[in-house]
């Protein structure tokens, strides 16, 4: 059902819900882990520097932990399939 799809899409941070009349987000999104381990490894600085390095065509967001603690300072990249 449509309500179930909406629930899933709004629960996970990798989905964007775009309402009618709203502009779609950029096709490329980079999510930087905001977990404590990544923060200690420099995620805050990475989050501050990436927008200038990547430009306006890329959206950079802080995200909940992406679960790769063995590789601190992780990012996750999502490419819109449209």
């Amino acid at each position: 059902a449509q309500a179930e799809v909406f629930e899933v899409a709004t629960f996970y941070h990798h989905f964007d819900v775009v309402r009618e009349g709203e502009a779609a987000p950029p096709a490329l999104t980079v999510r930087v882990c905001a977990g404590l381990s990544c923060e200690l490894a420099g995620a805050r600085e990475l989050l501050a520097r990436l927008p200038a390095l990547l430009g306006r065509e890329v959206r950079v967001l802080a995200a909940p932990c992406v679960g790769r603690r063995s590789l601190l300072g992780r990012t996750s990249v999502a490419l819109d399939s449209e």
Side-chain angles (χ1 to χ4, degrees):
Q2 192 173 13
E4 291 170 327
V5 172
F6 183 79
E7 288 174 5
V8 170
T10 56
F11 179 79
Y12 293 103
H13 69 272
H14 287 285
F15 295 111
D16 291 301
V17 175
V18 180
R19 302 191 191 290
E20 274 189 57
E22 290 182 347
L28 183 63
T29 298
V30 174
R31 290 178 172 86
V32 178
C33 179
L36 179 59
S37 298
C38 292
E39 173 133 0
L40 293 172
R44 185 179 295 182
E45 293 82 24
L46 182 63
L47 189 60
R49 293 181 58 204
L50 278 177
L53 293 171
L54 299 175
R56 294 180 187 213
E57 312 269 318
V58 179
R59 179 173 61 162
V60 179
L61 301 173
C65 181
V66 294
R68 301 291 306 249
R69 284 181 178 74
S70 62
L71 304 168
L72 294 176
R74 296 307 300 172
T75 59
S76 172
V77 178
L79 181 60
D80 189 351
S81 61
E82 290 186 86

